[in-house]
């Protein structure tokens, strides 16, 4: 039988939580459900309100944690207590419309593994956000998507989503800060994701807990996720292959010129192409082994990707030296770094794409 567990993290939501729970109760009437509120011992005693409601209704449960441990970890603790096979996460402050939950649950029943309430697909909106908050949000999403090609959704940092229990079962979730969905999208066991648009309303009561510290925690969280999901290792492998390629390049240049007596510029061109081929083989069969791309297709794209990176390298060398008066060796070093990053991004997102 299907059971839905709604997990709601709270911190100083005394004015909201009672009303939200009664709204949920009327919306979820026809479902088998439980509501799990995870409160971090809020100074405004949010837990008291929930405790009283829980006494009268066995579908309402409270986890009261002592010592503020954060939004994302609160959700993980909620999951641990949850009995449902469908898990829903939402905020307590009415910025997430409860009316959307039946539709999200329906889509999970239709077969989607994860359903996300999304502000960034067509039809989605954000009310009342400052320009700065919008930039921070888009920056957070951009960073996540560029570093984790596995993530294909627009709103990967939404706090409103539903998922099948299997997605996170047996997965070690260890998130930091606010972005529990990001943790699930990187580590979870899922195939299909659906985004449903919604309007992220302005907060009426209470205030946002987002602070500079949370933004900093986001960056630390991303770095931690890169380590845990082996994306760092991938970048290291890619760099190591490039390093080996330098020796192939120089070796071929030397042998063709010295032993075969070929004009050095011709040897140079052959050396470049052979080192690209060499790097490709390593990257195809090692760095991006898990991606299962078509060999020839990847090969062509990787060649192009190297060409584009070379152009970027030269452009940076030229611009920094010519227009900024920087010593040309330093300009070149910066150019090499830019070229490397461009090549990595193009390889990761295009030539050897997921
Ligand atoms: N238990 C617990 N512990 N709950 C917390 C904590 C905490 O440390 N911090 C915040 N919460 C609860 C709040 O009480 C609220 O129910 C929910 O988590 C969201 O917190 P807000 O403070 O309202 O965050 P926001 O509106 O700025 O951010 C929301 O939107 C972001 C999208 O940009 C959240 O949904 C984020 O998860 C989401 O990424
Ligand atoms: Mn909020």
């Amino acid at each position: 039988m299907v059971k839905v567990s709604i997990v709601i993290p709270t911190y100083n939501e005394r004015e909201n939580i009672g009303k939200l729970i009664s709204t949920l109760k009327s919306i979820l009437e026809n479902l088998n459900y439980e509501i799990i509120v995870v409160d971090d011992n809020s100074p405004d005693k949010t837990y008291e309100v929930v405790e009283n409601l829980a006494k009268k209704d066995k579908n309402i449960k409270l986890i009261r944690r002592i010592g503020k441990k954060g939004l994302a970890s609160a959700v993980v603790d909620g999951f641990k207590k949850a009995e449902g096979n469908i898990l829903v996460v939402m905020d307590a402050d009415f910025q997430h419309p409860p009316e959307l939950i039946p539709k999200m649950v329906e889509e999970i029943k239709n077969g989607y593994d994860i359903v996300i309430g999304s502000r960034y697909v067509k039809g989605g909106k954000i009310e009342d956000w400052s320009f700065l908050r919008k930039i921070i949000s888009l920056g957070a999403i951009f960073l996540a998507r560029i570093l984790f090609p596995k993530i294909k959704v627009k709103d990967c940092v939404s706090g409103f989503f539903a998922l099948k229990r299997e997605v996170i079962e047996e997965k070690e979730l260890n998130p930091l800060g606010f972005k529990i969905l990001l943790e699930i999208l990187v580590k979870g066991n899922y195939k299909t994701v659906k985004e449903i648009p919604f309007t992220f309303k302005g907060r009426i009561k209470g205030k946002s807990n987002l602070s500079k510290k949370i933004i900093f925690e986001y960056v630390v969280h991303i770095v931690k996720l890169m380590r845990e999901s082996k994306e760092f290792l991938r970048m290291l492998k890619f760099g190591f292959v490039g390093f080996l390629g330098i020796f192939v390049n120089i070796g071929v240049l030397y042998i063709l010129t010295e032993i075969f007596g070929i004009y050095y510029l011709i040897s140079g061109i052959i050396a470049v192409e052979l080192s690209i081929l060499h790097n490709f083989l390593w990257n195809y069969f090692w760095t991006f082994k898990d991606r299962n791309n078509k060999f020839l297709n990847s090969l062509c794209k990787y060649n192009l990707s190297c060409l584009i990176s070379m152009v970027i390298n030269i452009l940076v060398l030229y611009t920094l030296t010519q227009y900024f008066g920087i010593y040309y060796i330093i300009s070149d070093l910066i150019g090499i770094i830019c070229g490397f990053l461009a090549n990595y991004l193009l390889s990761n997102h295009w030539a050897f794409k997921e």
Side-chain angles (χ1 to χ4, degrees):
M1 183 150 100
V2 175
K3 178 165 185 169
V4 182
S5 301
I6 319 261
V7 175
I8 309 172
T10 57
Y11 195 74
N12 289 341
E13 303 287 359
R14 189 186 180 90
E15 297 170 292
N16 292 314
I17 192 67
K19 191 168 163 233
L20 179 66
I21 289 177
S22 64
T23 312
L24 284 172
K25 279 171 76 168
S26 61
I27 290 172
L28 302 171
E29 234 170 17
N30 302 320
L31 288 169
N32 179 19
Y33 73 91
E34 62 179 350
I35 297 172
I36 301 173
V37 176
V38 190
D39 187 71
D40 280 344
N41 205 29
S42 298
D44 78 350
K45 301 206 168 72
T46 306
Y47 51 85
E48 262 181 14
V49 179
V50 184
E51 221 161 39
N52 286 330
L53 292 168
K55 275 183 202 145
K56 287 174 266 165
D57 184 341
K58 64 169 181 25
N59 292 333
I60 298 171
K61 291 157 195 177
L62 168 72
I63 302 177
R64 178 178 167 191
R65 311 192 303 171
I66 307 295
K68 193 174 185 229
K69 296 181 197 125
L71 196 173
S73 83
V75 173
V76 174
D77 282 352
F79 286 164
K80 285 184 192 142
K81 192 181 170 80
E83 291 164 0
N85 30 23
I86 298 179
L87 310 172
V88 176
V89 178
M90 75 182 302
D91 293 351
D93 55 5
F94 284 95
Q95 294 193 277
H96 296 154
E99 316 83 73
L100 203 63
I101 294 176
K103 187 166 175 213
M104 295 166 95
V105 170
E106 214 36 57
E107 293 292 6
I108 297 276
K109 286 184 186 163
N110 286 343
Y112 285 102
D113 295 318
I114 303 178
V115 177
I116 300 173
S118 172
R119 302 157 296 169
Y120 296 114
V121 288
K122 196 166 170 280
K125 269 198 227 54
I126 294 172
E127 274 176 8
D128 271 9
W129 258 14
S130 67
F131 182 67
L132 182 67
R133 179 83 206 249
K134 277 184 190 147
I135 294 290
I136 292 171
S137 175
L138 289 174
I141 290 174
F142 178 74
L143 192 65
R145 292 205 50 183
I146 206 157
L147 295 174
F148 303 102
K150 186 183 177 198
I151 298 177
K152 300 279 194 286
V153 293
K154 296 237 159 64
D155 200 349
C156 56
V157 297
S158 174
F160 190 27
F161 55 94
L163 60 140
K164 286 184 187 151
R165 183 182 202 97
E166 296 90 88
V167 173
I168 54 151
E169 224 159 29
E170 287 155 34
K171 297 283 170 193
E172 177 104 23
L173 298 180
N174 224 337
L176 211 71
F178 260 38
K179 308 305 184 193
I180 174 66
L181 178 59
L182 181 67
E183 178 94 2
I184 293 171
L185 288 172
V186 171
K187 291 186 183 169
N189 174 23
Y190 63 94
K191 290 207 175 66
T192 49
V193 185
K194 169 142 185 147
E195 284 185 274
I196 302 182
F198 81 100
T199 301
F200 190 80
K201 293 204 208 73
R203 217 187 220 273
I204 298 163
K205 298 224 163 73
K207 61 177 195 341
S208 166
N209 293 287
L210 191 108
S211 58
K212 285 205 191 80
K213 178 168 166 261
I214 299 291
I215 297 174
F216 174 73
E217 273 182 347
Y218 179 67
V219 176
V220 179
H221 186 198
I222 288 246
V223 171
K224 195 162 149 279
L225 266 180
M226 280 193 77
R227 258 202 344 251
E228 289 171 351
S229 65
K230 304 221 162 72
E231 287 300 320
F232 261 143
L233 189 65
R234 200 196 289 285
M235 202 191 235
L236 272 178
K237 285 178 176 173
F238 192 83
F240 177 68
V241 169
F243 181 69
L244 286 184
I246 296 174
F247 295 96
V248 174
N249 190 328
I250 295 175
V252 172
L253 174 65
Y254 182 83
I255 291 169
L256 290 184
T257 310
E258 296 298 323
I259 298 178
F260 292 86
I262 296 174
Y263 180 55
Y264 79 101
L265 278 182
I266 306 286
S267 311
I269 292 171
I270 300 173
V272 167
E273 187 50 37
L274 280 181
S275 66
I276 290 177
L277 269 174
H278 158 270
N279 292 7
F280 172 79
L281 289 175
W282 278 99
N283 285 328
Y284 187 85
F285 289 108
W286 187 50
T287 317
F288 295 103
K289 183 174 101 217
D290 53 318
R291 297 281 174 88
N292 300 315
N293 283 289
K294 292 208 183 72
F295 188 85
L296 279 179
N297 191 338
S298 286
L299 178 60
C300 294
K301 287 176 175 168
Y302 182 70
N303 262 282
L304 253 171
S305 162
C306 290
L307 185 70
I308 294 169
S309 313
M310 219 144 64
V311 171
I312 290 175
N313 186 339
I314 300 291
L315 275 179
V316 171
L317 166 64
Y318 177 76
T319 314
L320 292 185
T321 311
Q322 197 73 14
Y323 298 103
F324 293 84
I326 294 173
Y327 182 53
Y328 74 100
I329 298 289
I330 305 288
S331 305
D332 193 40
L333 275 176
I334 300 172
I336 290 173
I337 294 171
C338 294
F340 172 80
L341 288 176
N343 198 6
Y344 184 66
L345 289 178
L346 283 167
S347 297
N348 202 4
H349 287 268
W350 184 55
F352 303 98
K353 83 166 194 298
E354 178 102 23

